[in-house]
Coordinates of all heavy atoms in Angstrom, one line a residue:
M1 N 0.9 -1.2 0.0 CA 0.0 0.0 0.0 C 0.9 1.2 0.0 O 1.9 1.3 0.8 CB -0.9 0.0 1.3 CG -1.6 1.3 1.5 SD -2.5 1.3 3.1 CE -1.2 1.6 4.2
I2 N 0.6 2.2 -0.9 CA 1.3 3.4 -0.9 C 0.9 4.3 0.3 O -0.2 4.5 0.5 CB 1.1 4.2 -2.2 CG1 1.6 3.4 -3.4 CG2 1.6 5.6 -2.2 CD1 3.2 3.3 -3.4
V3 N 1.9 4.8 1.0 CA 1.7 5.6 2.2 C 2.0 7.1 1.8 O 1.2 8.0 2.1 CB 2.6 5.2 3.4 CG1 2.5 6.2 4.5 CG2 2.3 3.8 3.8
C4 N 3.1 7.3 1.1 CA 3.4 8.7 0.7 C 3.3 8.7 -0.8 O 4.2 8.2 -1.5 CB 4.9 9.0 1.1 SG 5.5 10.6 0.5
S5 N 2.3 9.4 -1.3 CA 2.1 9.5 -2.8 C 3.1 10.4 -3.4 O 3.4 10.2 -4.6 CB 0.7 9.9 -3.1 OG 0.3 11.1 -2.4
C6 N 3.6 11.4 -2.7 CA 4.6 12.3 -3.3 C 5.8 11.6 -3.7 O 6.5 11.9 -4.7 CB 4.9 13.5 -2.4 SG 3.6 14.7 -2.1
N7 N 6.2 10.6 -2.9 CA 7.5 9.9 -3.1 C 7.3 8.4 -3.5 O 8.3 7.7 -3.5 CB 8.3 10.0 -1.8 CG 8.9 11.4 -1.6 OD1 9.7 11.9 -2.4 ND2 8.4 12.1 -0.6
A8 N 6.1 8.0 -3.6 CA 5.7 6.6 -3.9 C 6.4 5.6 -2.9 O 7.0 4.6 -3.3 CB 6.2 6.2 -5.3
I9 N 6.2 6.0 -1.6 CA 6.8 5.1 -0.5 C 5.7 4.3 0.0 O 4.6 4.7 0.3 CB 7.3 6.0 0.6 CG1 8.5 6.8 0.1 CG2 7.8 5.1 1.8 CD1 9.1 7.8 1.2
S10 N 5.9 3.0 0.0 CA 4.9 2.0 0.5 C 5.1 1.6 1.9 O 6.2 1.9 2.5 CB 5.0 0.7 -0.4 OG 6.1 0.0 -0.1
D11 N 4.2 1.0 2.5 CA 4.3 0.5 3.9 C 5.5 -0.5 3.9 O 6.2 -0.6 4.9 CB 3.0 -0.1 4.4 CG 2.4 -1.2 3.5 OD1 2.8 -1.3 2.3 OD2 1.6 -2.0 4.0
T12 N 5.6 -1.3 2.9 CA 6.7 -2.3 2.8 C 8.1 -1.6 2.9 O 9.0 -2.0 3.6 CB 6.6 -3.1 1.6 OG1 5.3 -3.7 1.6 CG2 7.7 -4.2 1.5
D13 N 8.2 -0.4 2.1 CA 9.4 0.3 2.2 C 9.7 0.9 3.6 O 10.9 0.8 4.0 CB 9.3 1.6 1.2 CG 9.1 1.2 -0.2 OD1 9.6 0.1 -0.7 OD2 8.5 2.0 -1.0
I14 N 8.7 1.4 4.2 CA 8.9 1.9 5.6 C 9.3 0.8 6.5 O 10.3 1.0 7.3 CB 7.6 2.6 6.1 CG1 7.3 3.8 5.2 CG2 7.7 2.9 7.6 CD1 5.9 4.4 5.4
H15 N 8.7 -0.3 6.5 CA 9.1 -1.4 7.4 C 10.5 -1.9 7.1 O 11.3 -2.2 8.0 CB 8.1 -2.6 7.3 CG 6.8 -2.2 7.9 ND1 6.6 -1.9 9.2 CD2 5.5 -2.2 7.4 CE1 5.3 -1.6 9.5 NE2 4.7 -1.8 8.4
A16 N 10.9 -2.0 5.8 CA 12.2 -2.4 5.4 C 13.2 -1.4 6.0 O 14.3 -1.8 6.5 CB 12.3 -2.6 3.9
A17 N 13.0 -0.1 5.8 CA 13.9 0.9 6.3 C 14.1 0.8 7.8 O 15.2 0.9 8.4 CB 13.4 2.3 5.9
I18 N 13.0 0.6 8.6 CA 13.0 0.5 10.0 C 13.8 -0.7 10.4 O 14.7 -0.6 11.3 CB 11.6 0.5 10.6 CG1 10.9 1.9 10.5 CG2 11.7 0.1 12.1 CD1 9.5 1.9 10.8
D19 N 13.5 -1.8 9.8 CA 14.2 -3.1 10.1 C 15.7 -2.9 9.9 O 16.5 -3.4 10.7 CB 13.6 -4.2 9.3 CG 12.2 -4.6 9.7 OD1 11.8 -4.1 10.8 OD2 11.6 -5.3 8.9
W20 N 16.1 -2.3 8.7 CA 17.5 -2.1 8.4 C 18.2 -1.2 9.4 O 19.3 -1.5 9.9 CB 17.6 -1.5 7.0 CG 19.0 -1.2 6.6 CD1 19.9 -2.1 6.2 CD2 19.6 0.1 6.6 NE1 21.1 -1.4 5.9 CE2 20.9 0.0 6.2 CE3 19.1 1.4 7.0 CZ2 21.8 1.0 6.1 CZ3 20.0 2.4 6.9 CH2 21.3 2.3 6.5
M21 N 17.5 -0.1 9.8 CA 18.1 0.8 10.8 C 18.3 0.1 12.1 O 19.3 0.3 12.8 CB 17.3 2.1 10.9 CG 17.5 3.0 9.7 SD 16.6 4.6 10.0 CE 15.0 4.2 9.4
R22 N 17.3 -0.6 12.5 CA 17.4 -1.3 13.9 C 18.5 -2.3 13.8 O 19.2 -2.5 14.8 CB 16.0 -1.9 14.2 CG 16.0 -2.6 15.6 CD 16.4 -1.7 16.7 NE 15.4 -0.7 16.9 CZ 15.7 0.6 17.2 NH1 17.0 1.0 17.4 NH2 14.8 1.5 17.3
A23 N 18.6 -3.1 12.7 CA 19.7 -4.1 12.6 C 21.1 -3.4 12.6 O 22.0 -3.9 13.2 CB 19.5 -4.9 11.4
A24 N 21.2 -2.2 12.0 CA 22.4 -1.5 11.9 C 22.8 -0.9 13.2 O 24.0 -0.8 13.6 CB 22.4 -0.4 10.8
D25 N 21.9 -0.5 14.0 CA 22.2 0.2 15.3 C 21.0 0.0 16.3 O 20.0 0.6 16.2 CB 22.4 1.7 15.1 CG 22.8 2.4 16.4 OD1 22.8 1.8 17.5 OD2 23.1 3.6 16.3
P26 N 21.2 -0.9 17.2 CA 20.0 -1.3 18.1 C 19.6 -0.1 19.0 O 18.5 -0.1 19.5 CB 20.6 -2.4 19.0 CG 21.8 -2.9 18.3 CD 22.3 -1.8 17.4
R27 N 20.5 0.9 19.1 CA 20.2 2.1 20.0 C 19.6 3.3 19.3 O 19.3 4.3 20.0 CB 21.5 2.5 20.8 CG 22.0 1.4 21.7 CD 23.2 1.9 22.4 NE 24.1 0.8 22.6 CZ 25.3 0.9 22.9 NH1 25.8 2.1 23.2 NH2 26.1 -0.1 23.0
T28 N 19.6 3.3 18.0 CA 19.2 4.5 17.3 C 17.7 4.8 17.5 O 16.9 3.9 17.7 CB 19.4 4.3 15.8 OG1 19.3 5.6 15.2 CG2 18.5 3.3 15.1
I29 N 17.4 6.1 17.6 CA 16.1 6.6 17.6 C 15.6 6.7 16.2 O 16.2 7.5 15.4 CB 16.0 7.9 18.4 CG1 16.6 7.9 19.7 CG2 14.5 8.4 18.4 CD1 15.9 7.0 20.7
I30 N 14.5 6.0 15.8 CA 14.1 6.1 14.4 C 13.0 7.1 14.3 O 11.9 7.0 14.9 CB 13.6 4.6 14.0 CG1 14.8 3.7 14.1 CG2 13.1 4.7 12.6 CD1 14.5 2.2 13.8
T31 N 13.2 8.0 13.4 CA 12.2 9.1 13.2 C 11.7 9.0 11.7 O 12.4 8.4 10.9 CB 12.9 10.5 13.4 OG1 13.9 10.6 12.4 CG2 13.4 10.6 14.8
P32 N 10.6 9.7 11.4 CA 10.2 9.7 10.0 C 11.3 10.3 9.1 O 11.5 9.8 8.0 CB 8.9 10.6 10.1 CG 8.4 10.5 11.4 CD 9.6 10.3 12.3
G33 N 12.0 11.3 9.6 CA 13.0 11.9 8.8 C 14.1 10.9 8.4 O 14.6 10.9 7.3
K34 N 14.5 10.1 9.4 CA 15.5 9.1 9.2 C 15.0 8.0 8.2 O 15.8 7.5 7.4 CB 15.9 8.4 10.5 CG 16.8 9.3 11.3 CD 17.2 8.5 12.6 CE 18.2 9.3 13.4 NZ 18.6 8.6 14.6
V35 N 13.7 7.7 8.2 CA 13.1 6.7 7.3 C 13.2 7.3 5.9 O 13.6 6.6 4.9 CB 11.7 6.3 7.7 CG1 11.0 5.5 6.6 CG2 11.7 5.6 9.0
Y36 N 12.8 8.6 5.7 CA 12.9 9.2 4.4 C 14.3 9.2 3.9 O 14.6 8.9 2.8 CB 12.4 10.7 4.5 CG 10.9 10.8 4.3 CD1 10.1 11.0 5.3 CD2 10.4 10.7 3.0 CE1 8.7 11.2 5.2 CE2 9.0 10.9 2.8 CZ 8.2 11.1 3.9 OH 6.8 11.3 3.7
H37 N 15.2 9.6 4.8 CA 16.7 9.6 4.4 C 17.2 8.2 4.0 O 17.9 8.1 3.0 CB 17.5 10.2 5.6 CG 18.9 10.4 5.2 ND1 19.3 11.5 4.5 CD2 20.0 9.7 5.5 CE1 20.6 11.4 4.3 NE2 21.1 10.4 5.0
A38 N 16.8 7.2 4.8 CA 17.2 5.9 4.5 C 16.7 5.4 3.1 O 17.4 4.6 2.4 CB 16.8 4.9 5.5
L39 N 15.6 5.9 2.7 CA 15.0 5.6 1.4 C 15.5 6.5 0.3 O 15.0 6.4 -0.8 CB 13.4 5.6 1.5 CG 12.8 4.6 2.5 CD1 11.4 4.8 2.7 CD2 13.1 3.2 2.0
G40 N 16.3 7.5 0.7 CA 16.8 8.4 -0.3 C 15.8 9.4 -0.8 O 15.9 9.8 -2.0
K41 N 14.8 9.7 0.1 CA 13.8 10.6 -0.3 C 13.7 11.8 0.7 O 14.2 11.7 1.8 CB 12.4 9.9 -0.4 CG 12.5 8.5 -1.1 CD 11.8 8.5 -2.3 CE 12.0 7.2 -3.0 NZ 11.1 6.9 -4.0
R42 N 12.9 12.8 0.4 CA 12.6 13.9 1.3 C 11.1 14.1 1.3 O 10.4 14.0 0.2 CB 13.3 15.1 0.8 CG 14.8 15.0 0.9 CD 15.5 16.2 0.2 NE 15.0 17.5 0.7 CZ 15.5 18.6 0.3 NH1 16.5 18.6 -0.6 NH2 15.0 19.7 0.8
P43 N 10.5 14.4 2.4 CA 9.1 14.7 2.5 C 8.8 16.0 1.6 O 9.6 16.9 1.6 CB 8.7 15.0 3.9 CG 10.0 14.9 4.7 CD 11.1 14.5 3.8
D44 N 7.6 16.0 1.0 CA 7.2 17.1 0.2 C 6.0 17.8 0.9 O 6.2 18.8 1.6 CB 6.9 16.6 -1.2 CG 6.7 17.7 -2.2 OD1 6.8 18.9 -1.8 OD2 6.3 17.5 -3.3
C45 N 4.8 17.4 0.6 CA 3.6 18.1 1.1 C 3.4 17.8 2.6 O 2.7 18.6 3.3 CB 2.4 17.7 0.3 SG 1.8 16.1 0.6
G46 N 3.8 16.6 3.1 CA 3.6 16.3 4.5 C 2.2 15.7 4.8 O 1.9 15.4 5.9
G47 N 1.4 15.6 3.8 CA 0.0 15.1 4.0 C 0.0 13.7 4.4 O -1.0 13.2 5.0
C48 N 1.1 12.9 4.2 CA 1.1 11.5 4.5 C 1.5 11.3 6.0 O 1.5 10.1 6.4 CB 2.1 10.8 3.6 SG 3.8 11.4 3.7
M49 N 1.9 12.3 6.7 CA 2.6 12.1 8.0 C 1.7 11.3 9.0 O 2.3 10.4 9.6 CB 3.0 13.5 8.6 CG 4.2 13.4 9.5 SD 5.6 12.3 8.9 CE 6.1 13.1 7.4
P50 N 0.4 11.6 9.1 CA -0.4 10.7 10.1 C -0.3 9.2 9.7 O -0.1 8.4 10.6 CB -1.8 11.3 10.0 CG -1.6 12.7 9.5 CD -0.4 12.7 8.6
L51 N -0.5 8.9 8.4 CA -0.4 7.5 8.0 C 1.0 7.0 8.1 O 1.2 5.8 8.4 CB -1.0 7.4 6.6 CG -1.0 6.0 6.0 CD1 -1.8 5.0 6.9 CD2 -1.6 6.0 4.6
F52 N 2.0 7.8 7.7 CA 3.4 7.4 7.8 C 3.7 7.0 9.3 O 4.3 6.0 9.5 CB 4.2 8.6 7.4 CG 5.6 8.3 6.9 CD1 5.9 8.1 5.5 CD2 6.6 8.1 7.8 CE1 7.2 7.8 5.1 CE2 7.9 7.8 7.4 CZ 8.2 7.6 6.0
L53 N 3.3 7.9 10.2 CA 3.6 7.6 11.6 C 2.9 6.3 12.1 O 3.4 5.5 12.8 CB 3.2 8.8 12.5 CG 4.2 10.0 12.4 CD1 3.6 11.2 13.1 CD2 5.5 9.6 13.1
S54 N 1.6 6.2 11.7 CA 0.9 5.0 12.2 C 1.5 3.7 11.6 O 1.5 2.7 12.2 CB -0.6 5.1 11.9 OG -0.9 5.0 10.5
T55 N 2.0 3.8 10.4 CA 2.6 2.7 9.7 C 3.9 2.4 10.5 O 4.2 1.2 10.8 CB 2.9 3.0 8.3 OG1 1.7 3.3 7.6 CG2 3.6 1.8 7.6
M56 N 4.7 3.4 10.8 CA 5.9 3.2 11.6 C 5.6 2.5 13.0 O 6.3 1.6 13.4 CB 6.6 4.5 11.9 CG 7.3 5.1 10.6 SD 8.1 6.7 11.0 CE 9.4 6.2 12.1
R57 N 4.5 3.0 13.6 CA 4.2 2.4 15.0 C 3.8 1.0 14.9 O 3.8 0.3 16.0 CB 3.1 3.3 15.6 CG 3.6 4.6 16.0 CD 2.5 5.4 16.8 NE 2.9 6.8 17.0 CZ 2.4 7.8 16.5 NH1 1.3 7.7 15.8 NH2 2.8 9.0 16.8
K58 N 3.4 0.4 13.8 CA 3.1 -1.0 13.7 C 4.3 -1.9 13.6 O 4.2 -3.1 13.7 CB 2.2 -1.2 12.4 CG 0.9 -0.6 12.5 CD 0.1 -0.8 11.2 CE -1.3 -0.1 11.3 NZ -1.9 0.1 10.0
N59 N 5.5 -1.3 13.4 CA 6.7 -2.1 13.3 C 7.3 -2.4 14.7 O 7.6 -1.4 15.5 CB 7.7 -1.3 12.5 CG 8.9 -2.2 12.1 OD1 9.5 -2.8 13.0 ND2 9.2 -2.3 10.8
D60 N 7.5 -3.6 15.0 CA 8.0 -4.0 16.3 C 9.5 -3.6 16.6 O 9.9 -3.5 17.7 CB 8.0 -5.6 16.5 CG 6.6 -6.1 16.6 OD1 5.7 -5.3 16.9 OD2 6.3 -7.3 16.3
N61 N 10.2 -3.2 15.5 CA 11.5 -2.7 15.6 C 11.6 -1.2 15.8 O 12.8 -0.7 15.9 CB 12.4 -3.1 14.4 CG 12.7 -4.6 14.4 OD1 13.0 -5.1 15.5 ND2 12.8 -5.2 13.3
L62 N 10.5 -0.5 15.9 CA 10.6 0.9 16.0 C 11.2 1.4 17.3 O 12.1 2.3 17.3 CB 9.2 1.5 15.9 CG 9.1 3.1 15.9 CD1 9.9 3.7 14.8 CD2 7.7 3.6 15.9
E63 N 10.9 0.8 18.4 CA 11.4 1.2 19.7 C 12.8 0.6 20.0 O 13.1 -0.5 19.5 CB 10.4 0.8 20.8 CG 9.1 1.5 20.7 CD 8.2 1.2 21.9 OE1 8.7 0.6 22.9 OE2 7.1 1.6 21.9
V64 N 13.5 1.4 20.7 CA 14.8 0.9 21.2 C 14.5 -0.3 22.1 O 13.6 -0.3 22.9 CB 15.5 2.0 22.0 CG1 16.8 1.5 22.7 CG2 15.9 3.1 21.1
P65 N 15.3 -1.4 21.9 CA 15.0 -2.6 22.8 C 15.0 -2.3 24.3 O 15.8 -1.4 24.7 CB 16.2 -3.5 22.4 CG 16.7 -3.1 21.1 CD 16.4 -1.6 21.0
A66 N 14.1 -2.9 25.0 CA 13.9 -2.6 26.4 C 15.2 -2.7 27.2 O 15.4 -1.9 28.1 CB 12.9 -3.6 27.0
E67 N 16.1 -3.7 26.9 CA 17.3 -3.8 27.7 C 18.2 -2.6 27.5 O 19.1 -2.4 28.3 CB 18.0 -5.1 27.3 CG 18.6 -5.2 25.9 CD 17.6 -5.8 25.0 OE1 16.4 -5.9 25.2 OE2 18.0 -6.2 23.9
L68 N 18.0 -1.8 26.4 CA 18.8 -0.6 26.2 C 18.2 0.7 26.7 O 18.8 1.7 26.8 CB 19.2 -0.5 24.7 CG 20.1 -1.6 24.2 CD1 20.3 -1.5 22.7 CD2 21.4 -1.7 24.9
R69 N 16.9 0.6 27.0 CA 16.2 1.8 27.5 C 16.6 2.1 28.9 O 16.8 1.2 29.7 CB 14.7 1.7 27.4 CG 14.2 1.9 26.0 CD 12.7 1.8 26.0 NE 12.3 0.7 25.2 CZ 11.3 -0.1 25.4 NH1 10.4 0.2 26.3 NH2 11.0 -1.1 24.6
G70 N 16.8 3.3 29.2 CA 17.2 3.7 30.6 C 18.6 3.3 31.0 O 19.0 3.2 32.1
L71 N 19.4 3.0 29.9 CA 20.8 2.5 30.2 C 21.6 3.6 31.0 O 22.3 3.3 31.9 CB 21.5 2.2 28.9 CG 22.8 1.5 28.9 CD1 22.6 0.2 29.7 CD2 23.3 1.2 27.5
R72 N 21.4 4.9 30.6 CA 22.1 5.9 31.2 C 21.8 6.0 32.7 O 22.6 6.1 33.6 CB 21.8 7.3 30.5 CG 22.6 8.4 31.1 CD 22.4 9.7 30.4 NE 22.9 9.5 29.0 CZ 22.7 10.4 28.0 NH1 21.9 11.4 28.3 NH2 23.2 10.2 26.9
E73 N 20.5 5.9 33.0 CA 20.0 5.9 34.4 C 20.6 4.8 35.2 O 21.0 4.9 36.3 CB 18.5 5.9 34.4 CG 17.9 6.1 35.8 CD 18.2 7.4 36.4 OE1 18.5 8.4 35.7 OE2 18.1 7.5 37.7
T74 N 20.6 3.6 34.6 CA 21.1 2.4 35.2 C 22.6 2.6 35.5 O 23.0 2.3 36.7 CB 20.9 1.2 34.3 OG1 19.5 1.0 34.0 CG2 21.4 -0.1 35.0
L75 N 23.3 3.1 34.6 CA 24.8 3.3 34.8 C 25.0 4.3 35.9 O 25.9 4.2 36.7 CB 25.4 3.7 33.5 CG 25.5 2.7 32.4 CD1 26.0 3.3 31.1 CD2 26.3 1.5 32.8
R76 N 24.2 5.4 35.9 CA 24.3 6.4 36.9 C 24.1 5.9 38.3 O 24.8 6.1 39.3 CB 23.3 7.6 36.7 CG 23.6 8.8 37.5 CD 22.6 9.9 37.2 NE 21.2 9.5 37.5 CZ 20.7 9.4 38.7 NH1 21.4 9.7 39.8 NH2 19.4 9.0 38.9
K77 N 23.0 5.0 38.4 CA 22.7 4.4 39.7 C 23.9 3.5 40.2 O 24.2 3.4 41.4 CB 21.4 3.6 39.6 CG 20.2 4.4 39.6 CD 19.0 3.6 39.5 CE 17.7 4.5 39.4 NZ 16.5 3.7 39.2
R78 N 24.4 2.7 39.2 CA 25.5 1.8 39.6 C 26.7 2.6 40.1 O 27.4 2.2 41.1 CB 26.0 1.0 38.4 CG 25.1 -0.1 38.1 CD 25.7 -1.0 37.0 NE 24.7 -1.9 36.5 CZ 24.7 -2.6 35.4 NH1 25.7 -2.3 34.5 NH2 23.8 -3.4 35.0
K79 N 27.0 3.8 39.5 CA 28.1 4.6 39.9 C 27.9 5.2 41.3 O 28.8 5.2 42.1 CB 28.4 5.8 38.9 CG 29.1 5.4 37.7 CD 29.4 6.6 36.8 CE 30.3 6.2 35.6 NZ 30.6 7.4 34.8
S80 N 26.7 5.5 41.6 CA 26.4 6.1 42.9 C 26.5 5.1 44.0 O 26.6 5.4 45.2 CB 25.0 6.8 42.9 OG 24.0 5.8 42.8
H81 N 26.4 3.8 43.7 CA 26.5 2.7 44.7 C 27.9 2.3 44.9 O 28.2 1.5 45.8 CB 25.6 1.5 44.3 CG 24.2 1.8 44.4 ND1 23.5 2.0 45.5 CD2 23.2 1.9 43.4 CE1 22.2 2.2 45.3 NE2 22.0 2.2 44.0
T82 N 28.9 2.7 44.1 CA 30.2 2.3 44.2 C 31.1 3.3 45.0 O 30.7 4.3 45.3 CB 31.0 2.1 42.9 OG1 30.9 3.3 42.1 CG2 30.3 1.0 42.1
Ligands
FES1 S1 2.3 12.5 0.5 FE1 4.1 12.2 1.6 S2 5.1 14.1 1.4 FE2 3.3 14.3 0.2

């Protein structure tokens, strides 16, 4: 299904870009801008953004893995206990 008609970006393209970015860097924050960039495109009218975001949110790889979330806080607590 085409999500962004200005750039002919499909939901499959978005999921592939997210999966690729997550595999390349488990800690990266994935944004719509990064998805466009990974696909070699730039947003134009922005009319697709609500559907673009909802498509992104359906991908299980969108969020940083739980074991990496709060890492800075965990490290700070460990330092304060030593
Ligand atoms: S429909 Fe996506 S930028 Fe226009």
Side-chain angles (χ1 to χ4, degrees):
M1 170 185 78
I2 293 294
V3 174
C4 174
S5 54
C6 289
N7 289 293
I9 297 173
S10 70
D11 56 339
T12 304
D13 296 330
I14 293 169
H15 290 301
I18 291 171
D19 293 345
W20 176 79
M21 283 187 273
R22 181 59 63 221
D25 183 355
R27 295 181 218 169
T28 193
I29 305 294
I30 299 173
T31 63
K34 286 184 175 178
V35 172
Y36 273 103
H37 186 76
L39 295 171
K41 316 246 176 164
R42 294 171 53 175
D44 188 3
C45 74
C48 59
M49 209 42 62
L51 181 58
F52 203 97
L53 286 168
S54 70
T55 302
M56 288 179 66
R57 289 187 186 116
K58 290 177 185 163
N59 191 305
D60 292 338
N61 283 326
L62 182 62
E63 293 188 10
V64 172
E67 66 271 16
L68 295 177
R69 280 185 244 148
L71 193 56
R72 183 176 295 169
E73 183 67 19
T74 302
L75 292 173
R76 191 181 61 75
K77 285 179 182 173
R78 281 188 192 160
K79 280 186 176 179
S80 68
H81 290 291
T82 57

